[in-house]
Amino acid sequence: MNISEEFTKKGCTVIYLSIDNKLIGYVALSDILREEAKEVISYIKSQKINPVMLTGDNKNSAQNIANIVGIDDIHPSLLPEDKMNIIKNLEDSKSPTCMIGDGVNDALALKYSSVGISMGAIGSDIAIEASDIALASDDIKNIPYLLYLSKKTMKTIKLNVTFSLALNFLAIILAMTGILNPVVGALVHNLGSVFVILNSAKLLKTRNNLDLHIKIEYEVTNESKGALIV
């Protein structure tokens, strides 16, 4: 096996150079991973979310990247339609998906996923248009923060709804027994609205303080299901 074949098996794209139909050398190209990619995937897996790689690259290149970052489920050599069909199959099987992409080839998959995330600065216009969220900084460390913020937002919504229903139910019972008069009832109703607003406003103080080196405590629950497509 020659040197070029060794690079090919490592996932590199080999470009051959020639002069007058004579081979003089070759150039081996490979994708450069972001330093935080492995830690981001590790965090995602800790949340019981299955990372999946959909790529148009050849199998060797895709497998090489997947081995480094720790992705087990890979689908190489895909056309845009292939990516979309995989997303649709996951959605049809009641498995919510979050698609992350930046190219024209990712637009269809971004559109059909439950949540589409594109890279705002380097992403193509059509990918940004098809996505639900565009990362202005293109920092993939924002992905764990988005997961963290979404869970915190859902907890806030559930707390607000539960509190409002409980307060209204209690107010109705007190009004029926004559304990709560109309004026006090109106004040209680407004008090519930104020609580909901103040409790929701706490989300504004949420910052991206997630340290991927496991310096933050986060909950892992059985409710965390689905797939993250990269």
Side-chain angles (χ1 to χ4, degrees), residues 185-195:
L187 293 175
V188 170
H189 176 75
N190 289 331
L191 179 64
S193 299
V194 171
F195 171 83

Side-chain angles (χ1 to χ4, degrees), residues 41 44-45 49-53 70-73 226-230:
I41 295 299
I44 290 170
K45 294 172 75 173
I49 298 174
N50 179 39
V52 181
M53 177 186 290
I71 297 179
D72 300 321
D73 192 354
L228 185 78
I229 313 297
V230 294

Side-chain angles (χ1 to χ4, degrees), residues 108-176:
L108 284 174
L110 286 168
K111 192 67 176 179
Y112 278 90
S113 60
S114 300
V115 178
I117 301 177
S118 63
M119 301 299 174
I122 63 175
S124 63
D125 291 340
I126 189 172
I128 295 174
E129 181 67 24
S131 64
D132 301 295
I133 301 172
L135 299 179
S137 64
D138 291 333
D139 188 352
I140 62 173
K141 286 191 293 186
N142 286 322
I143 303 302
Y145 169 64
L146 286 175
L147 294 174
Y148 168 74
L149 181 60
S150 63
K151 289 184 178 182
K152 192 168 184 178
T153 300
M154 288 305 301
K155 287 182 179 180
T156 300
I157 292 173
K158 291 177 180 178
L159 177 60
N160 289 343
V161 172
T162 301
F163 176 81
S164 297
L165 291 176
L167 183 63
N168 289 334
F169 179 77
L170 178 61
I172 291 172
I173 297 298
L174 294 177
M176 291 174 60

Side-chain angles (χ1 to χ4, degrees), residues 31 90 171 200:
D31 293 324
L90 288 171
S200 301

Side-chain angles (χ1 to χ4, degrees), residues 79-106:
L79 297 174
E81 294 80 3
D82 298 326
K83 295 181 180 181
M84 179 191 69
N85 290 331
I86 292 175
I87 294 291
K88 290 179 66 176
N89 290 335
L90 288 171
E91 293 287 342
D92 292 341
S93 64
K94 307 300 180 182
S95 180
T97 59
C98 175
M99 172 70 187
I100 304 172
D102 58 9
V104 175
N105 293 339
D106 299 322

Side-chain angles (χ1 to χ4, degrees), residues 178-189:
I179 299 176
L180 198 64
N181 60 54
V183 175
V184 177
L187 293 175
V188 170
H189 176 75

Side-chain angles (χ1 to χ4, degrees), residues 57-64 74 76-77:
D57 294 341
N58 62 67
K59 183 177 181 181
N60 289 332
S61 179
Q63 188 65 62
N64 181 59
I74 64 171
S77 305

